[in-house]
Amino acid sequence: MSTKALLKTSREKLNKKDFSGAKDAAERVLDFEQSNYTAHVFLALSLLELQEYDRSEQVYKAAIELDPAQLLARQGLLKFYEKRDRIDNVIECLQELSSIYAKQGDAAKLADCLQRLVDLRREHGTRIQIASALMQVLPGSEFYPVLSFLPEPDSTNPTSTSTFWIQSAVHDFLPVLEEVVSLLETEEQTRFTKDFNARRTRLGGPKPAELKKELDKEICDNSKLPTLYNEILNHPKTSEELRRSTEAKLIQFKQKHLYSIPATGVDVKGKLREELETLIDGVVLIRRPNEEAWSLYLDWQDWEKFEDLDLATLRAYVELFPDSSLSSIVQGYLLYNGISLSDEGTSSETPENLNEQGLNILLNTPSESLDSILANRVISQVYADVEEYENAARIAKRGLSRLAELENDLGKKLSRSRVGLQVVLSTSLVHLTPPKHHPQAMTLIKEIVAVSPDNVAALMSRGNILLASKEWSAARESFERVISVDTHSFHALRAREESAWCESRLGQYESAVGHFEEVLRELEAEERDGFDIARCLWRLGQTQWDSGDKEAVYPLFIRALKKDSSFAPAFTSLGLYYLEYASPADPVRASKCFQKAFELDPREAVAARHLAEGFANDREWDLMEVVVRRTIEGEGTVQPSAKPGAESTTGNVTANSWAWKALGVVELTHQNYPAAINAFQVALRADPSDHVLWLRLGEAYGKAGRYAAAIKALEHAYELDPTDWLAQFYIADAQQGVGLFKQAIKILESLLEQRPSELGILSSLATAYLDMGVAEMEQGFVGRAEESFVSAVSTTLKFLADHPGFRSFGWKVIADATFHLSQVSLFRNEEAVLAVLAEVHALLPSENARLKDIIPSISLESPVGGSEALLISILSAEYRVSLNPTNSDTSAWYDLGMGVHAWSILGGNQGDEKVGQFIVDCITEAVKREPINPNYWTALGTAYFVSNPRAAQHSFIKALEIENKSAATWCDLGLLYLFHEDTELAREAFQRAQVLDPDCTLAWVGQALILRSVGDDRGATALFSHATGLDHAIPEADYNLSLRVFNSINERKLRRREAIGDLLPIFFLLNRYCTHQPDDATGLHLFALVCEKLGHIDFAKELVNRAMRILERIYEEKEDPVVERQFMVTNATLGRLLLATYEPEEGMIIFETVLGLLHNTDELKQVLETQAKLGIAMAQCTLRDMQEGILSLQHAQGIAPDHEALRAQCAILLAQTLWSIRDPECCEIAEDPSHLPAINVLAGLGILTKDEGIVDASVSEIVSLPPDERVALDSDGNVDYLLIQYHLSQGDLANAIKTSQKSVHVQPSNTVKTNTLGSLLLKMKYPQGTLALLSGHEKAMETGSTTLILSAVANVLIGTPESLQKALQAAQRAVMVSPGKAVCWQVLGCVRKLIS
């Protein structure tokens, strides 16, 4: 069948809906003719109907590729996509069909495609896609020329065609333009908001204003809105309302685009600015009511003076926008300058009324309205005119800031507008609290003159600045320039007056008087303000006063006051006239004149100083302070720093240093030290050579606690006036504050030689001695502290003798010094202490009813101790109370209570209810008198600690309410809870203390006690260890940690070499403990035991003897059996130490004493008796009394308790003694296979006697044990060591190496055993084996140097150059690891000798 017939068959099948047949026919066609377009279309359609969609789409696309110009396949593919609801593909097909129809010129089909395309975009597209679809029907698109052939739509029958919307859009595209513009505006605004919110949160991103400009530039650069806006404006059917709104949008868009372009884009910015200016000028020219365009026009005008503005434009703005804030400001300024709002210029109001109306409008303008350059300029100028200079300067600065932003946005300088704002700012700064802002004003004036050399306001301001700085000649030149520039203005007349004043100050009195009279005549002729005439009259009078013609000044001053009764300088001059020239002088009138002048103007410094001096002479300190403060406020040159105590950051110098000096003294009196420091600093900048000011500044620094700064200031004061002893006195006080007590005392003693009875020197010296003693006591220098306390008491006694009126202070120092002195139990200079205590006791009353049953009577006889000093302290505190019972010093009750409390602890009568109640009564009295003192509440809690825990808790909490950041008080509360077994509350209190002060030692000790109470000994030890390393030492922590470590060493049975790392720290801790607690026999005994283990036998004997003396004294007082037992144990320790120092006779005596003190009921009787017998036996053997020694050892062995180690020790000592006399029973006695020391002794005996049988018998059992049990029994490898030594003594190196190898095999990580095997290998000349064995063991902490030495020797034995270098390196490392080991240096020397 032919191709045509098959195609016909396929078409018929399709018409009959026989899609399978149609498919077969089309495929047969394609088998013969693969490029048949029609067959592809029929096949694709058949496949579509047969739901073979993928193949159908492929066939359609293949057909389009065969003939792209044919429409049949494209239409079929469009139908396919529509059926499959694939919108994007449908739109793509419509777009392609539209292009084909446009090329063919088929307007109807093109319109139909575009109509469908727009409808689909409206239903499924985004705003951008809809806008793009709509823009295809607008002029400028590729389709518009073809679409323009469409007939006009029949609006009466819109359903007559399917392309009615397209026809309408083509013949009137304005609605489409509006829709596209609306879509694009919404899209751009949405994009801006989205990007802004996304980018503003980025780290390191730009500021919001910069980000806004970046986004505006990105959007505006690619926006189509300006073109669309112009098309709307150019459309003939655009309404006036639409034209105005579109024009406003276009202006706003171009302004946003212009402001977003950076300053580097000069060309683009300039082009945009020109376009925008053209638009704005057009709006203003035709008076279109676009407020934003008008505001931009007014802001962009570059004008220096108000006269430069076009009044017609301003009036038009007011007329067009009467309700805007800027219109109100423009209207007010026109009225303020007497300008009518109408062009005719007719007004029924007088110029004065217009001025007042305008002023009211402008001064009532809210600050929110000042958002334009014009508004800022107008308002700042008005404030300057009414002399509201602070507001004028503030607004002018804001205007300059906004002008700078505008210039940057425009890319154009508005220099004349800048000059106008700078003139207002400089004028305001000149008159705002002169001369504070004059440097800043002068900088502005230089910039103004550079642009506008003849600016009268700037020249006048420069003259005023030079006038204030007393540069008369330069000021006169500036005023003369004003006169030459503007001869007939008011400024010229004022300049002539100022020029005459400069002549007066230069001493040209005649010329000045003539010029003043000329100016005065013109002022009176012009009927100027009375203030100007009064000022001219006063200056004329002041000139004549200075010239010596004082008789003529009085009427001039009076005339000035008649012209203006509020002119303050005239009152000041009149007061000086009454005070200095009037005969007789009239100080009353003068004072009234000064008061009036100061009331009118606080800047009248002369009047203020006379007033302050008068009030000071009358001792009216409050009035003087008011005058001083008002003078400083009025001056404005320098203000107190915002941060108290900080130096002023301004560089200005005050003109009234006397006022700041007086203010500093006032603040110093009120104890407001930061303010006083600031005041003295300001005064010193004006007068840096005033030594009194430096002295006062140093005093203020010292009282504020800034001692380093105080010392520097006082040293400078002393340099300025070495004769003033107060500088040295305050230096000593400051040095005392920073802890330099010796330097302070040295200075005070030198001052005391010059002024032996000076009250302040004596009191400071006594206090310095007291504080130095307290510091020395805390540091552990007990002897020095004793000397300092004695000196404090001696100095205070001299103070009381010379100044009996200050007894309360003196007895306070004595009570404190003797209280601290009582902490020293054994005085080094007992005679000096006894002397001062006796002298103090002699001054105290002989009878004391209050303390009669509380403390015993005192007897000051040698020997004297801390208890006597404490009694003197208590008596001194009680005497302070009795000096004025009705209103005594509060601290006296506190000192009395704490003194008795300390006595109750020292005397052991804490349970005495009467004493306890007395302590509570004393501290309660202190609390009643000063309830805001937290120390008193804490002391009350301490008094109630045991007897009344609820009251103690209340007291501690009350103290914390007053001062909740006191770590010490939280610790006291924690100890209270811990004592009464509330560990949870105790833990919380201690944790709070640690938060407030991480270095609070007591808090760490408290936490350690809590852990100990719950059985966590390891944690408690760790916390005690941390506490002992903090700055503030607590003796109890030192002792507790030392005892724990010592017991741990004994429990682990460590040798001295192994325990030295633990013993050395507790050695120093116990040394510190015994320094603070020299009377604690337990601490001394423990210290002696530590010294014994360290080998400090002589020092240990001294400590034990001190402990025995203390125990003996205590036993004599109390006869306590516990003390007796401690005495026996201490004697046993002393006996052992005597044996160690080869003093057997004395040792025997001590051990006999121990035996004599034993009681049958004593639980330690067997242990002490055994130890004593062992000691006696050792002493007898040392004295070569072997038989008695053996008997004593046998007795000790017989009475030894069931203590394995002690019994074994007895056996060992007995065996050693028997061996020394060659008794064969020694081996049988020492044979104890379960006791390692006995095995060692037995093996040693076998080695010494060369009896191999004894050696084998002693070690055979332990050698035969399993490795784990053997290591547990002989952890140090003593048996292996003895066997190795035995084999070596027999010359059997092979068996020695064999034994060592077995030992290393059992414990391969033991470096000691590895080193032993390495040394044996060296003995057999096998260095390679030694190096292989020792590899990796060089870094061991304890044995690293030995390993390195063996490695060096092995390398030397190898002998190659490379091995010699390795030997040198190993020897050098060994020296670095153990520099105190002689063998290391010897090996290093040998290696170097071999290399050289």
Side-chain angles (χ1 to χ4, degrees):
M1 187 178 290
S2 65
T3 302
K4 289 184 178 180
L6 290 172
L7 289 174
K8 182 179 179 181
T9 303
S10 179
R11 181 185 298 111
E12 291 175 352
K13 297 288 185 181
L14 287 172
N15 292 334
K16 293 178 181 179
K17 300 187 182 302
D18 184 3
F19 300 113
S20 296
K23 171 188 172 186
D24 293 339
E27 286 177 340
R28 290 173 64 189
V29 173
L30 291 175
D31 288 339
F32 293 103
E33 188 179 348
Q34 294 182 355
S35 60
N36 190 293
Y37 180 85
T38 306
H40 276 86
V41 173
F42 288 168
L43 177 59
L45 180 59
S46 302
L47 291 171
L48 174 62
E49 297 299 335
L50 292 172
Q51 297 183 358
E52 295 183 28
Y53 298 118
D54 293 339
R55 188 179 174 197
S56 175
E57 181 180 6
Q58 293 173 3
V59 173
Y60 271 129
K61 289 181 178 180
I64 293 171
E65 289 178 0
L66 289 173
D67 191 355
Q70 289 289 335
L71 298 178
L72 188 60
R74 292 184 183 276
Q75 291 170 346
L77 185 61
L78 175 63
K79 183 180 178 182
F80 171 82
Y81 286 141
E82 286 176 343
K83 187 172 183 179
R84 298 294 296 156
D85 199 21
R86 290 164 61 173
I87 303 301
D88 291 339
N89 298 112
V90 171
I91 292 172
E92 183 180 354
C93 285
L94 288 172
Q95 196 72 40
E96 293 174 355
L97 287 171
S98 298
S99 298
I100 294 174
Y101 291 142
K103 290 178 181 178
Q104 295 175 353
D106 193 341
K109 291 183 178 180
L110 174 61
D112 183 66
C113 282
L114 291 177
Q115 177 81 48
R116 293 171 64 186
L117 179 64
V118 170
D119 291 341
L120 285 172
R121 284 299 188 193
R122 288 186 189 279
E123 184 177 357
H124 301 287
T126 62
R127 281 188 290 264
I128 292 294
Q129 292 172 339
I130 297 171
S132 298
L134 291 173
M135 290 176 70
Q136 293 183 5
V137 302
L138 294 176
S141 75
E142 59 177 322
F143 305 130
Y144 189 79
V146 177
L147 293 174
S148 62
F149 289 104
L150 288 172
E152 292 188 9
D154 184 5
S155 57
T156 60
N157 189 14
T159 60
S160 61
T161 177
S162 61
T163 58
F164 179 81
W165 179 85
I166 290 288
Q167 291 175 266
S168 301
V170 168
H171 292 283
D172 184 10
F173 55 82
L174 182 61
V176 179
L177 277 174
E178 292 184 60
E179 185 179 1
V180 171
V181 166
S182 176
L183 289 169
L184 292 180
E185 286 176 345
T186 306
E187 178 63 24
E188 290 182 1
Q189 182 60 41
T190 303
R191 176 186 168 189
F192 176 86
T193 304
K194 179 181 178 181
D195 290 352
F196 184 82
N197 292 332
R199 296 189 195 180
R200 67 182 299 183
T201 56
R202 292 178 182 174
L203 291 176
K207 295 180 180 179
E210 297 175 0
L211 178 59
K212 180 178 180 298
K213 289 185 177 181
E214 288 181 9
L215 292 174
D216 285 342
K217 186 176 184 304
E218 291 176 10
I219 294 172
C220 292
D221 282 347
N222 303 310
S223 178
K224 298 177 182 178
L225 285 176
T227 304
L228 296 173
Y229 287 146
N230 284 321
E231 290 185 10
I232 293 174
L233 291 174
N234 296 328
H235 199 280
K237 293 186 179 182
T238 302
S239 64
E240 184 64 23
E241 182 180 356
L242 178 59
R243 192 179 304 279
R244 289 181 180 180
S245 63
T246 304
E247 188 178 47
K249 290 178 181 179
L250 181 60
I251 291 173
Q252 185 180 14
F253 181 91
K254 286 187 176 294
Q255 179 204 356
K256 181 168 63 175
H257 194 188
L258 173 64
Y259 287 4
S260 69
I261 296 174
T264 54
V266 178
D267 297 336
V268 179
K269 213 172 183 68
K271 182 180 178 181
L272 270 174
R273 184 178 65 248
E274 291 176 2
E275 294 175 0
L276 189 55
E277 286 176 344
T278 302
L279 287 171
I280 292 173
D281 291 343
V283 170
V284 174
L285 181 63
I286 62 177
R287 300 293 191 263
R288 195 182 297 281
N290 185 343
E291 185 176 356
E292 184 175 359
W294 279 83
S295 299
L296 292 175
Y297 177 82
L298 293 176
D299 270 355
W300 291 6
Q301 298 302 303
D302 192 14
W303 54 282
E304 181 177 342
K305 299 178 183 178
F306 188 74
E307 294 80 6
D308 298 338
L309 285 174
D310 182 18
L311 292 179
T313 303
L314 295 178
R315 290 191 179 107
Y317 181 82
V318 173
E319 182 181 350
L320 288 172
F321 312 105
D323 297 329
S324 72
S325 57
L326 182 59
S327 176
S328 176
I329 292 172
V330 173
Q331 181 181 358
Y333 198 64
L334 291 172
L335 293 174
Y336 175 72
N337 286 280
I339 300 172
S340 174
L341 298 177
S342 62
D343 295 336
E344 293 78 7
T346 58
S347 177
S348 59
E349 300 287 344
T350 62
E352 291 78 8
N353 290 337
L354 291 176
N355 179 276
E356 185 176 351
Q357 290 177 14
L359 190 62
N360 288 334
I361 292 173
L362 295 172
L363 295 182
N364 292 323
T365 301
S367 59
E368 295 81 7
S369 302
L370 305 180
D371 55 353
S372 68
I373 306 298
L374 177 60
N376 282 279
R377 287 200 56 182
V378 169
I379 299 299
S380 62
Q381 182 64 58
V382 171
Y383 273 119
D385 291 345
V386 299
E387 299 183 359
E388 286 283 344
Y389 295 118
E390 186 174 358
N391 288 328
R394 176 176 54 82
I395 296 172
K397 286 179 181 178
R398 181 164 58 182
L400 283 169
S401 175
R402 296 196 174 183
L403 180 62
E405 293 177 4
L406 179 61
E407 289 177 336
N408 183 63
D409 292 337
L410 286 178
K412 174 184 174 182
K413 294 293 181 183
L414 304 174
S415 56
R416 299 179 67 193
S417 294
R418 178 172 292 278
V419 166
L421 281 166
Q422 287 178 331
V423 166
V424 177
L425 178 58
S426 61
T427 304
S428 302
L429 293 175
V430 167
H431 298 288
L432 179 61
T433 58
K436 180 179 181 180
H437 304 288
H438 284 183
Q440 184 182 356
M442 184 58 83
T443 303
L444 291 170
I445 290 168
K446 290 178 181 178
E447 295 178 8
I448 294 168
V449 173
V451 178
S452 180
D454 295 331
N455 191 291
V456 173
L459 293 172
M460 287 294 294
S461 296
R462 183 171 66 181
N464 288 325
I465 292 173
L466 296 171
L467 206 65
S469 59
K470 299 182 180 180
E471 299 180 34
W472 313 114
S473 299
R476 184 183 177 189
E477 291 177 4
S478 185
F479 292 128
E480 292 294 337
R481 177 70 181 279
V482 174
I483 297 170
S484 65
V485 171
D486 194 1
T487 309
H488 302 291
S489 69
F490 171 72
H491 288 294
L493 185 60
R494 177 64 185 274
R496 288 165 57 193
E497 180 186 344
E498 298 295 342
S499 178
W501 181 244
C502 292
E503 290 179 331
S504 172
R505 299 304 91 194
L506 290 169
Q508 303 171 10
Y509 299 118
E510 293 183 6
S511 175
V513 169
H515 290 148
F516 275 130
E517 290 175 348
E518 291 177 6
V519 172
L520 185 61
R521 283 194 295 271
E522 292 188 28
L523 287 172
E524 290 176 343
E526 295 179 8
E527 296 182 356
R528 288 294 181 89
D529 186 22
F531 180 83
D532 295 328
I533 299 174
R535 183 184 62 246
C536 188
L537 285 168
W538 172 76
R539 285 179 167 178
L540 178 59
Q542 197 68 30
T543 302
Q544 291 182 343
W545 177 288
D546 295 338
S547 66
D549 187 9
K550 297 184 179 181
E551 293 183 358
V553 300
Y554 181 76
L556 291 172
F557 293 151
I558 295 297
R559 283 177 61 193
L561 291 173
K562 286 181 179 179
K563 288 293 182 181
D564 188 348
S565 60
S566 63
F567 189 67
F571 279 109
T572 301
S573 298
L574 195 58
L576 291 173
Y577 175 84
Y578 286 132
L579 192 64
E580 297 178 4
Y581 185 74
S583 182
D586 194 345
V588 176
R589 280 190 175 184
S591 178
K592 290 181 179 179
C593 289
F594 292 142
Q595 288 184 21
K596 186 65 175 177
F598 188 69
E599 289 173 3
L600 292 171
D601 188 357
R603 293 176 296 178
E604 286 298 307
V606 175
R609 184 162 190 173
H610 280 88
L611 276 179
E613 290 175 352
F615 288 140
N617 292 332
D618 296 337
R619 307 185 73 79
E620 296 283 351
W621 306 114
D622 293 338
L623 293 176
M624 186 202 76
E625 182 180 356
V626 171
V627 171
V628 167
R629 290 190 181 278
R630 283 200 61 195
T631 301
I632 292 171
E633 292 170 2
E635 178 188 20
T637 305
V638 183
Q639 293 297 330
S641 175
K643 185 178 180 180
E647 296 186 7
S648 177
T649 57
T650 64
N652 301 304
V653 177
T654 179
N656 300 310
S657 62
W658 64 270
W660 286 99
K661 184 177 181 180
L663 178 63
V665 174
V666 169
E667 297 291 5
L668 197 60
T669 305
H670 292 164
Q671 297 183 359
N672 190 3
Y673 303 122
I677 290 170
N678 187 73
F680 289 135
Q681 287 172 343
V682 173
L684 278 170
R685 283 203 295 273
D687 189 6
S689 61
D690 188 344
H691 88 281
V692 176
L693 274 174
W694 284 103
L695 185 67
R696 291 296 189 186
L697 178 62
E699 181 184 359
Y701 272 135
K703 291 183 177 178
R706 299 170 62 180
Y707 299 111
I711 292 173
K712 290 183 179 179
L714 292 167
E715 285 177 347
H716 191 67
Y718 184 70
E719 291 174 2
L720 293 173
D721 186 6
T723 61
D724 189 356
W725 66 275
L726 281 174
Q728 289 287 82
F729 175 76
Y730 285 128
I731 287 174
D733 188 57
Q735 287 176 336
Q736 185 178 345
V738 295
L740 302 176
F741 300 111
K742 291 184 179 179
Q743 294 87 327
I745 290 170
K746 184 177 180 181
I747 293 174
L748 291 171
E749 287 178 344
S750 64
L751 291 177
L752 194 62
E753 293 176 0
Q754 304 170 17
R755 310 173 74 87
S757 300
E758 183 65 40
L759 170 65
I761 297 175
L762 283 169
S763 60
S764 293
L765 183 58
T767 306
Y769 275 125
L770 177 60
D771 293 342
M772 183 169 71
V774 173
E776 290 168 341
M777 183 66 78
E778 289 179 354
Q779 295 168 6
F781 301 116
V782 180
R784 298 181 191 177
E786 174 191 325
E787 184 179 350
S788 298
F789 292 137
V790 170
S791 299
V793 176
S794 301
T795 306
T796 308
L797 290 172
K798 186 178 186 305
F799 169 84
L800 289 174
D802 294 340
H803 304 281
F806 294 89
R807 290 181 297 173
S808 180
F809 170 80
W811 285 104
K812 167 67 175 172
V813 176
I814 291 175
D816 289 346
T818 50
F819 181 82
H820 291 295
L821 191 62
S822 67
Q823 298 176 20
V824 182
S825 57
L826 186 61
F827 298 118
R828 297 190 179 183
N829 191 351
E830 186 178 332
E831 294 181 2
V833 175
L834 181 59
V836 295
L837 292 181
E839 191 173 353
V840 172
H841 188 248
L843 297 176
L844 293 169
S846 56
E847 297 293 333
N848 195 314
R850 186 180 283 111
L851 297 173
K852 183 177 181 182
D853 298 327
I854 303 300
I855 61 173
S857 59
I858 185 171
S859 177
L860 294 176
E861 297 178 355
S862 183
V864 66
S867 58
E868 287 78 6
L870 182 57
L871 290 174
I872 292 294
S873 175
I874 296 171
L875 293 172
S876 300
E878 197 280 331
Y879 183 55
R880 283 181 62 214
V881 172
S882 62
L883 286 176
N884 191 354
T886 57
N887 189 24
S888 62
D889 188 359
T890 304
S891 63
W893 287 102
Y894 172 76
D895 292 344
L896 179 59
M898 295 308 294
V900 175
H901 179 69
W903 171 258
S904 67
I905 296 174
L906 184 65
N909 54 347
Q910 292 175 274
D912 192 327
E913 294 183 4
K914 188 174 183 180
V915 174
Q917 188 59 44
F918 180 84
I919 295 169
V920 170
D921 292 342
C922 290
I923 299 177
T924 302
E925 188 67 28
V927 170
K928 288 179 181 178
R929 293 173 182 269
E930 193 176 344
I932 60 172
N933 192 322
N935 295 329
Y936 296 169
W937 284 103
T938 303
L940 186 61
T942 304
Y944 280 128
F945 197 92
V946 177
S947 60
N948 193 340
R950 288 192 176 184
Q953 181 188 29
H954 170 76
S955 301
F956 289 137
I957 292 175
K958 193 70 177 177
L960 289 172
E961 289 177 356
I962 300 170
E963 187 179 355
N964 62 352
K965 293 185 178 180
S966 173
T969 308
W970 281 104
C971 289
D972 291 337
L973 183 61
L975 290 173
L976 175 70
Y977 290 140
L978 183 60
F979 182 80
H980 293 284
E981 299 181 354
D982 193 336
T983 55
E984 287 302 319
L985 287 177
R987 182 179 289 106
E988 292 180 11
F990 288 131
Q991 287 175 349
R992 186 66 177 271
Q994 288 171 320
V995 170
L996 293 171
D997 182 8
D999 292 334
C1000 180
T1001 309
L1002 188 56
W1004 291 98
V1005 172
Q1007 294 282 27
L1009 293 174
I1010 291 175
L1011 292 180
R1012 189 180 69 176
S1013 65
V1014 298
D1016 187 358
D1017 291 333
R1018 186 174 181 180
T1021 302
L1023 291 182
F1024 276 126
S1025 179
H1026 178 76
T1028 56
L1030 299 175
D1031 291 338
H1032 182 68
I1034 294 181
E1036 289 75 10
D1038 293 342
Y1039 177 79
N1040 204 299
L1041 177 64
S1042 301
L1043 181 60
R1044 286 171 171 272
V1045 173
F1046 186 79
N1047 289 337
S1048 174
I1049 292 171
N1050 288 337
E1051 289 171 2
R1052 290 183 291 166
K1053 298 179 181 179
L1054 298 179
R1055 297 180 180 181
R1056 189 178 73 176
R1057 179 177 58 82
E1058 299 167 340
I1060 192 168
D1062 295 330
L1063 288 171
L1064 284 177
I1066 66 174
F1067 173 85
F1068 293 108
L1069 290 179
L1070 288 170
N1071 183 45
R1072 183 170 67 181
Y1073 174 79
C1074 292
T1075 303
H1076 286 93
Q1077 303 288 342
D1079 287 342
D1080 187 355
T1082 306
L1084 290 170
H1085 190 192
L1086 178 60
F1087 194 13
L1089 294 174
V1090 171
C1091 291
E1092 181 185 11
K1093 281 187 174 291
L1094 288 171
H1096 301 315
I1097 306 300
D1098 292 333
F1099 187 41
K1101 283 166 54 179
E1102 180 184 346
L1103 293 171
V1104 170
N1105 282 317
R1106 284 170 54 189
M1108 289 175 60
R1109 288 195 295 270
I1110 294 169
L1111 291 171
E1112 190 174 0
R1113 186 176 69 248
I1114 296 173
Y1115 184 76
E1116 290 176 355
E1117 295 175 359
K1118 299 182 177 181
E1119 295 187 357
D1120 189 347
V1122 176
V1123 176
E1124 183 181 13
R1125 184 186 306 155
Q1126 291 176 340
F1127 185 74
M1128 285 189 293
V1129 175
T1130 308
N1131 271 280
T1133 301
L1134 178 59
R1136 189 170 61 252
L1137 294 171
L1138 289 171
L1139 291 178
T1141 55
Y1142 304 103
E1143 299 176 70
E1145 293 89 349
E1146 291 80 357
M1148 287 180 62
I1149 296 172
I1150 296 297
F1151 285 125
E1152 292 291 348
T1153 304
V1154 172
L1155 292 174
L1157 293 173
L1158 287 172
H1159 300 287
N1160 293 329
T1161 58
D1162 199 319
E1163 59 184 7
L1164 296 178
K1165 178 179 182 297
Q1166 287 183 306
V1167 175
L1168 289 175
E1169 186 178 2
T1170 303
Q1171 290 186 359
K1173 281 295 183 178
L1174 283 175
I1176 292 172
M1178 292 175 68
Q1180 290 170 339
C1181 291
T1182 304
L1183 294 171
R1184 311 307 299 171
D1185 190 355
M1186 307 305 292
Q1187 293 301 325
E1188 291 296 327
I1190 292 172
L1191 292 175
S1192 298
L1193 286 170
Q1194 290 174 342
H1195 180 73
Q1197 190 176 25
I1199 63 172
D1202 296 333
H1203 190 286
E1204 182 180 345
L1206 192 59
R1207 291 179 63 88
Q1209 196 65 38
C1210 292
I1212 290 170
L1213 289 174
L1214 181 57
Q1216 289 174 329
T1217 305
L1218 292 173
W1219 179 83
S1220 65
I1221 62 173
R1222 302 299 186 269
D1223 191 329
E1225 294 182 5
C1226 63
C1227 297
E1228 298 176 3
I1229 295 173
E1231 195 174 56
D1232 186 355
S1234 64
H1235 190 254
L1236 188 63
I1239 293 174
N1240 291 336
V1241 169
L1242 189 58
L1245 294 177
I1247 293 171
L1248 291 173
T1249 57
K1250 298 182 180 181
D1251 190 340
E1252 186 175 352
I1254 296 178
V1255 175
D1256 291 339
S1258 61
V1259 300
S1260 59
E1261 292 191 23
I1262 190 170
V1263 169
S1264 63
L1265 290 174
D1268 294 340
E1269 295 182 19
R1270 180 176 173 182
V1271 170
L1273 189 60
D1274 184 19
S1275 58
D1276 293 334
N1278 292 317
V1279 173
D1280 290 334
Y1281 173 78
L1282 289 172
L1283 285 174
I1284 292 169
Q1285 295 303 315
Y1286 173 71
H1287 291 311
L1288 290 175
S1289 67
Q1290 297 294 321
D1292 190 356
L1293 182 58
N1295 276 329
I1297 292 175
K1298 185 177 180 181
T1299 303
S1300 181
Q1301 287 174 335
K1302 290 181 179 180
S1303 179
V1304 171
H1305 181 71
V1306 173
Q1307 285 183 291
S1309 62
N1310 191 313
T1311 55
V1312 175
K1313 295 182 178 182
T1314 304
N1315 289 339
T1316 301
L1317 179 57
S1319 64
L1320 293 175
L1321 293 175
L1322 287 177
K1323 288 180 181 292
M1324 65 178 296
K1325 307 298 182 180
Y1326 184 34
Q1328 292 83 0
T1330 300
L1331 291 175
L1333 179 68
L1334 300 179
S1335 177
H1337 293 279
E1338 296 89 347
K1339 296 183 180 180
M1341 291 296 294
E1342 296 180 357
T1343 60
S1345 62
T1346 304
T1347 305
L1348 288 167
I1349 290 171
L1350 292 172
S1351 178
V1353 173
N1355 279 295
V1356 168
L1357 291 176
I1358 293 174
T1360 63
E1362 183 181 356
S1363 64
L1364 288 176
Q1365 287 298 323
K1366 291 182 179 179
L1368 179 61
Q1369 293 176 2
Q1372 289 173 336
R1373 289 176 59 192
V1375 169
M1376 291 179 63
V1377 173
S1378 300
K1381 207 169 182 180
V1383 68
C1384 297
W1385 292 96
Q1386 293 168 356
V1387 172
L1388 178 60
C1390 292
V1391 173
R1392 283 181 173 174
K1393 185 176 180 181
L1394 288 172
I1395 293 176
S1396 63

